[in-house]
Amino acid sequence: MKRPLRALAAAGLLAAGTIVAVALGGTASADTQICEQYGSTTIGGKYVVQNNRWGTSAQQCINVTSTGFSITRQDGVGSTSGAPVSYPSIFVGCHYTNCSPGTNLPVQVKNISSAPGSISYNYVSGAIYDAAYDIWLDPSPKKDGVNQMEIMIWLNRQGPIQPIGSPVGNASIAGRTWEVWRGSNGSNNVISYVAPSAVASMSFDAMAFINDTKNRGAITSDWYLTSIQAGFEPWQGGVGLAVNSFSQSVNTGGTTPTTPPPATTPPPGNAACSVKYTTNVWNNGFTADVTITNTGSSTVNGWTLNYNLPSGQTITGSWNATVTQSGSAVTARNLSYNGTLAPGASTSFGYQATLNGAFATPTSFTLNGATCARA
């Protein structure tokens, strides 16, 4: 959370526990300059903006506006094979005892009904950086110190830099396809979702990424969401990078149902559904994206897709559905947000699996007991 972690997250270069206390600021009105290493201020009565220059002794300054901030000075230079020099950012929640005004974080994942957010960035050329939307989680309701799970959403990266770990496949989340990286920096685990090209603005539900991370087995519903942050990790340059606007809420009071609502089941044998099965295969593993389309005339309210995987294929993680495997038999059930399929509507889920032997695809699929056509 404090960017000594970010050094580890980029290259494992700093020792665990290298932490400097954050300097708390006041409330920004219009155009507040922060050059203090860990200086911060609040805006909008809800968010904290922090300079967070953790990786260099060189000067960094940010200009805080009523809706975000921009980098106005960046003298630090980091090796592209190592760590960035800072993480100027805006956040809700608690970051090393610095909690945003009125926050309801930390809160357990199982008690979150939605976490709508939006971000608008300004990018510059000639610099090496990433634009990162960070989500932090921990098994305990921590307000200080290192959290055990970091979700990084990379909306832009410029230069020869990469997330921690290695690629493990792709995921379709928030209407986009992301390259997924997974690894550990020695102090916390990291799952990164990397956009293939720069995304200047986005509105989405952060729970979609949290649920995908949970479906990969990295966290459970009993873990706590502690903070959500958005900003930049500059390695070289970066003056002019800006968060134009940021909004993030965490709504509680709802849980993901463990049992799908009653389904409108098409008559057995009537192909009122179609399934498209797309894969990315390597030597000892693969990812699969499965798209279900309701081709019938009735709405499907809650769905269960059944099929068999060929021998030698074992699912290790999934997203956008609850996917279980018993022997070769696979059962995929909708989550709370994608269980309703109107006539003609589609939904997608996916998973990663290991592969032992020759690759083959499933031969047939049934949705709520009805055989589906192959798309």
Side-chain angles (χ1 to χ4, degrees):
M1 293 183 38
K2 181 63 57 93
R3 294 311 142 181
L5 290 184
R6 191 58 68 178
L8 293 169
L13 298 181
L14 294 185
T18 309
I19 296 171
V20 181
V22 70
L24 303 182
T27 300
S29 52
D31 290 14
T32 298
Q33 290 283 332
I34 300 179
C35 296
E36 185 181 359
Q37 184 174 12
Y38 297 111
S40 69
T41 189
T42 61
I43 62 173
K46 183 177 180 180
Y47 306 111
V48 175
V49 179
Q50 59 180 353
N51 196 27
N52 205 359
R53 177 175 52 85
W54 59 266
T56 179
S57 59
Q59 188 75 69
Q60 173 179 283
C61 297
I62 60 174
N63 180 64
V64 183
T65 68
S66 60
T67 59
F69 70 91
S70 62
I71 300 176
T72 56
R73 180 172 179 175
Q74 177 51 266
D75 297 342
V77 177
S79 169
T80 56
S81 62
V85 298
S86 62
Y87 183 58
S89 54
I90 181 171
F91 72 86
V92 291
C94 295
H95 176 96
Y96 283 77
T97 72
N98 189 6
C99 294
S100 57
T103 184
N104 58 349
L105 303 181
V107 65
Q108 282 184 295
V109 170
K110 64 184 179 183
N111 293 326
I112 302 173
S113 55
S114 64
S118 66
I119 184 71
S120 172
Y121 284 116
N122 182 69
Y123 298 137
V124 298
S125 59
I128 298 176
Y129 65 91
D130 68 64
Y133 208 100
D134 271 20
I135 303 170
W136 288 93
L137 303 111
D138 195 82
S140 64
K142 297 184 72 168
K143 296 184 179 180
D144 191 10
V146 180
N147 281 196
Q148 291 190 25
M149 186 70 232
E150 177 185 17
I151 300 171
M152 291 191 70
I153 307 169
W154 286 41
L155 288 100
N156 191 8
R157 62 168 166 172
Q158 297 295 316
I161 57 174
Q162 66 182 40
I164 189 171
S166 57
V168 295
N170 297 300
S172 297
I173 303 175
R176 299 178 182 274
T177 299
W178 309 82
E179 185 180 54
V180 184
W181 291 59
R182 189 165 183 174
S184 173
N185 59 36
S187 291
N188 61 271
N189 296 318
V190 186
I191 293 181
S192 302
Y193 299 86
V194 183
S197 59
V199 179
S201 62
M202 188 170 76
S203 297
F204 63 103
D205 188 343
M207 283 302 297
F209 290 92
I210 294 173
N211 285 330
D212 183 77
T213 298
K214 181 180 67 174
N215 290 338
R216 293 173 186 272
I219 65 168
T220 72
S221 295
D222 290 328
W223 281 45
Y224 290 82
L225 172 64
T226 63
S227 70
I228 300 179
Q229 312 174 357
F232 301 95
E233 292 183 320
W235 271 258
Q236 298 174 19
V239 171
L241 291 172
V243 171
N244 300 319
S245 62
F246 169 80
S247 68
Q248 183 65 61
S249 299
V250 178
N251 301 318
T252 59
T255 60
T256 300
T258 56
T259 303
T264 300
T265 304
N270 180 16
C273 52
S274 67
V275 172
K276 182 179 181 181
Y277 192 81
T278 306
T279 59
N280 178 28
V281 184
W282 57 93
N283 288 339
N284 57 357
F286 68 96
T287 59
D289 288 305
V290 186
T291 300
I292 304 169
T293 300
N294 179 6
T295 59
S297 59
S298 300
T299 298
V300 174
N301 294 308
W303 52 263
T304 298
L305 187 72
N306 295 102
Y307 55 97
N308 291 311
L309 283 179
S311 176
Q313 300 182 13
T314 303
I315 295 173
T316 58
S318 62
W319 51 92
N320 291 341
T322 299
V323 182
T324 58
Q325 181 178 2
S326 178
S328 63
V330 175
T331 301
R333 293 184 173 89
N334 67 272
L335 299 180
S336 61
Y337 54 83
N338 63 357
T340 301
L341 291 177
S346 299
T347 190
S348 297
F349 69 93
Y351 52 85
Q352 182 178 349
T354 58
L355 175 62
N356 182 13
F359 177 78
T361 62
T363 58
S364 63
F365 300 85
T366 61
L367 184 72
N368 295 343
T371 301
C372 296
R374 290 294 296 267

